[in-house]
Amino acid sequence: MSEPKAPTPAPGDTYKGWLFKWTNYIKGYQRRWFVLSNGLLSYYRTQAEMGHTCRGTINLATANIAVEDSCNFVISNGGTQTYHLKASSEVERQRWITALELAKAKAFRMQAESDDSGDDSTPPATGQGAGSRNSEVQSTLRTLGSKVEDLSTCNDLIAKHGSALQRSLSELEGVRLGGETSEKIRQVTERATLFRITSNAMINACRDFLALAQTHSKRWQKALQAEREQRVRLEETLEQLAKQHNHLERAFRGATVLPASQSNPAIDSKGPVSGKGDASDEDEENEFFDACEDVQEFITVPADPKYHRRSGSNVSGISSELGMDDGTTSLDEQSLASNPESPQSQELVPVRKRRTRIPDKPNYSLNLWSIMKNCIGKELSKIPMPVNFNEPLSMLQRLSEDLEYYELLDRAAKCQSSLEQMCYVAAFTVSSYSTTVHRTGKPFNPLLGETFELDRVQESGYRSLCEQVSHHPPAAAHHAISERGWTLRQEIALASKFRGKYLSIMPLGSIHCIFEKSTNHYTWKKVTTTVHNIIVGKLWIDQSGEIDVVNHKTGDRCHLKFAPYSYFSRDVARKVTGVVTDKDGKAHYVLSGTWDEKMEYSRVMQSSRRGENGADGRQKTVYQTLKAKELWRKTPLPEGAENMYYFSTLALTLNELEEGVAPTDSRRRPDQRLMEQGRWEEANAEKQRLEEKQRTVRREREREANRAASPSEEGKESADGAEEVEIASEPSETTYKTETLHGSHPPAYSMEGPYGAPVKSGHQDNYKSMWFEQLVDPVTGEPTHIYKGGYWEAKEQGNWDSCPDIF
């Protein structure tokens, strides 16, 4: 979300700017253009709408203005109109409140005066209206003078015609008429005289008023100018106080947060830490961190100036100055942020030119209810989901996208310090989510035995292989190895929970990264992905949860926290914070950033305990840190990405046809290829054919396994029939698992029993993966599939005879 511009006063009595207005619980706060003019507050969706479409107006003369917190305020007229508004900062909110209060007072005063004068009220200016106010007073005086002149003209006419009337009446008196007629004429003459006297008195009063106004106009102008100058001074004072309050708040609680450990009083590696620093108003060597929304038990402040070298650029000598002999003496801070081989600046010339575009996504409409109404009562795993909800990549290809920023691991492999290496590994874990922010399409569910290779040895020094190793529950194994000294492997299964408005997706399984030179072995798990607005509204993705990156050799640990998005949070969206500690719990680095943009690090120079307790009674830890430096930044999406499923540069090449790949490779999957070409009807038909073929193969495989296990049971029913009966008999004991990756759209479902246990059909499946074998991991103790070799040798020989025919 882009930051709203600060409201800027326009010449005269108009005040304009962007504010966030609460709409409803589905859309939350929406950005709107507000205009304060003539005692009325109006809003529009865009500035272009000002000429033709006003979305709403509220009269400030009868409105009530209430402040909720540092950024939120409410305007209500006591009736049906209530605006819940939110400014982007406390300073902006104070500017609006000041302008609204002054406009309300002026509107109320002018409304009271308009009962006699009929003039419309106008709101006061916001500090730049001195000339317009003088013009307003002079204009009022000129108007009054003009009205008096009109009255004077009317008086002349009345006097002229009155005199003529009296002469006529006098002449009538000379005529000999009856006594009754003479009496009537006398009465008319008296009334005409009274009328002339009254009109003369009225005109004289108006002339006296004009003279008095002109006499006192200069005094009124001076008093008005003094009031205006005083108001401007008060506005400037309030703005300065708001800024000072904001800075003090950031210094005190705008901090990195980390819960204190019950077992280690110094520090525990679990807890939230700071987000992006804001050093716009600070010294270039000082960095303050914004406050987290949670309970704050950890604070970072700028390090003492003695820790900064005079040159301001060389930080490598800090370790020796402080006598740090705990394994960090070889760390060069500049290598973290200034290495010329940074993933942003390094440009590799590819051996082969790869494609940079795919066919644009067709604009096909689809009624979800038209699909679901025909599936009532069916097993969810057998509901055919059309490709309209998909993107033309498989889950195996999405898993390979974790290597988008492989350069971070290349740089980590060169590190001499394990703590420095941990910073890069942590940044790599965050970078894998950067491609998901706009990717609401569901990847294709891989068929059992489907593979995907990503050979980038000549271009980037690594090669990767993924295989779908299980179908119930669905699981994919991934193995990547680099010539630059690192190996990455993982097995990911996915569980999900549908909660009405959103779908939560929980990846299961560990990710391992091993560095050849140092033999450091890192493991971590993925956070929860949430897909919002499943039923109504536009889909959007969020990542939330905590990650512990552990170095099993040294005991170093990095605790990362992905903050969930909140409409009411003052913090930056998609925020990630973390702290790197050694085996003794001592903090060495603070990490901050966002999972869709960049990550930064700050070196911890000193820590101390603060006497003030947190909300749960534990003391806060204060860390003095150096200025933050960048570790990783997201590469911009290619031009036209919004028409190509928001694919990154790497994603555009994943489904490009290549020679020599296995016949089970995702690039050879026909329904996925047809969808990429925009032939969605054919893709849906081909998808149903492949799914039915897979069911047939699975039933046959289960029959063979059952015959081998118990020859006497050959005449029993098919596996699918037995499974459906068992599932239908206990519907309350099952939940549903989705096959997706990184927050995709709801996919096809497979069945799970309580606590994630798979539903057993009573039949065995003797399937064994082609390139991976299941072993117990010696580090985590979890059963996992590990690459057993043979794939790249088979590719060199061009021998794929052992591969099944799955397409």
Side-chain angles (χ1 to χ4, degrees), residues 172-173 175-187:
L172 286 176
E173 289 179 353
V175 180
R176 298 289 182 176
L177 297 174
E180 184 178 354
T181 304
S182 298
E183 182 64 22
K184 294 292 185 182
I185 291 174
R186 187 181 61 80
Q187 292 178 0

Side-chain angles (χ1 to χ4, degrees), residues 420-466:
E420 177 186 0
Q421 193 174 70
M422 175 68 80
C423 292
Y424 284 112
V425 174
F428 176 79
T429 66
V430 176
S431 70
S432 63
Y433 296 97
S434 63
T435 62
T436 68
V437 62
H438 300 298
R439 300 274 287 277
T440 57
K442 182 187 89 67
F444 278 79
N445 297 326
L447 303 175
L448 187 62
E450 184 175 335
T451 61
F452 177 73
E453 71 161 72
L454 185 63
D455 192 348
R456 295 288 193 270
V457 171
Q458 294 182 347
E459 305 163 55
S460 307
Y462 73 88
R463 55 176 39 165
S464 162
L465 176 66
C466 293

Side-chain angles (χ1 to χ4, degrees), residues 4 45 258 448 455 488 595 600 687:
R45 286 188 178 176
L258 187 68
L448 187 62
D455 192 348
L488 185 76
W595 53 263
E600 298 175 334
K687 182 173 181 290

Side-chain angles (χ1 to χ4, degrees), residues 150-310:
D150 293 342
L151 290 173
S152 179
T153 302
C154 294
N155 178 71
D156 294 339
L157 292 174
I158 290 172
K160 176 181 178 181
H161 294 297
S163 299
L165 177 61
Q166 287 182 341
R167 284 195 302 271
S168 299
L169 291 174
S170 298
E171 293 174 357
L172 286 176
E173 289 179 353
V175 180
R176 298 289 182 176
L177 297 174
E180 184 178 354
T181 304
S182 298
E183 182 64 22
K184 294 292 185 182
I185 291 174
R186 187 181 61 80
Q187 292 178 0
V188 170
T189 302
E190 290 178 354
R191 291 174 181 173
T193 302
L194 291 174
F195 172 73
R196 185 180 62 181
I197 294 172
T198 304
S199 64
N200 287 336
M202 179 187 66
I203 299 255
N204 290 333
C206 290
R207 282 177 174 168
D208 291 342
F209 172 76
L210 177 60
L212 183 65
Q214 290 175 340
T215 301
H216 295 281
S217 63
K218 292 183 178 180
R219 187 172 62 184
W220 292 345
Q221 291 178 20
K222 290 180 180 179
L224 182 62
Q225 181 65 24
E227 291 293 332
R228 185 181 301 110
E229 292 175 354
Q230 183 178 3
R231 188 199 66 210
V232 171
R233 287 195 297 269
L234 288 174
E235 287 180 357
E236 293 175 351
T237 303
L238 286 174
E239 184 174 345
Q240 291 297 325
L241 288 174
K243 287 183 177 180
Q244 293 174 10
H245 180 272
N246 194 26
H247 292 164
L248 289 173
E249 187 180 52
R250 283 208 308 268
F252 177 71
R253 45 177 288 262
T256 309
V257 179
L258 187 68
S261 173
Q262 296 179 358
S263 60
N264 188 346
I267 182 173
D268 181 30
S269 61
K270 296 182 180 180
V273 278
S274 74
K276 293 181 179 178
D278 180 9
S280 59
D281 297 324
E282 307 297 334
D283 186 85
E284 63 176 355
E285 292 189 353
N286 292 340
E287 184 83 18
F288 288 98
F289 292 87
D290 290 338
C292 292
E293 292 297 317
D294 318 12
V295 178
Q296 298 176 5
E297 304 160 352
F298 174 105
I299 299 175
T300 56
V301 296
D304 192 279
K306 69 180 182 180
Y307 295 120
H308 297 273
R309 295 296 294 266
R310 293 182 179 178

Side-chain angles (χ1 to χ4, degrees), residues 692-705:
E692 185 56 38
K693 179 179 180 180
Q694 180 174 235
R695 295 189 190 102
T696 302
V697 172
R698 179 168 60 89
R699 286 195 291 266
E700 181 61 30
R701 191 169 58 247
E702 289 176 347
R703 290 193 191 99
E704 293 179 0

Side-chain angles (χ1 to χ4, degrees), residues 587-600:
H588 291 267
Y589 291 98
V590 168
L591 305 180
S592 62
T594 58
W595 53 263
D596 68 324
E597 182 181 357
K598 66 176 181 178
M599 286 297 293
E600 298 175 334

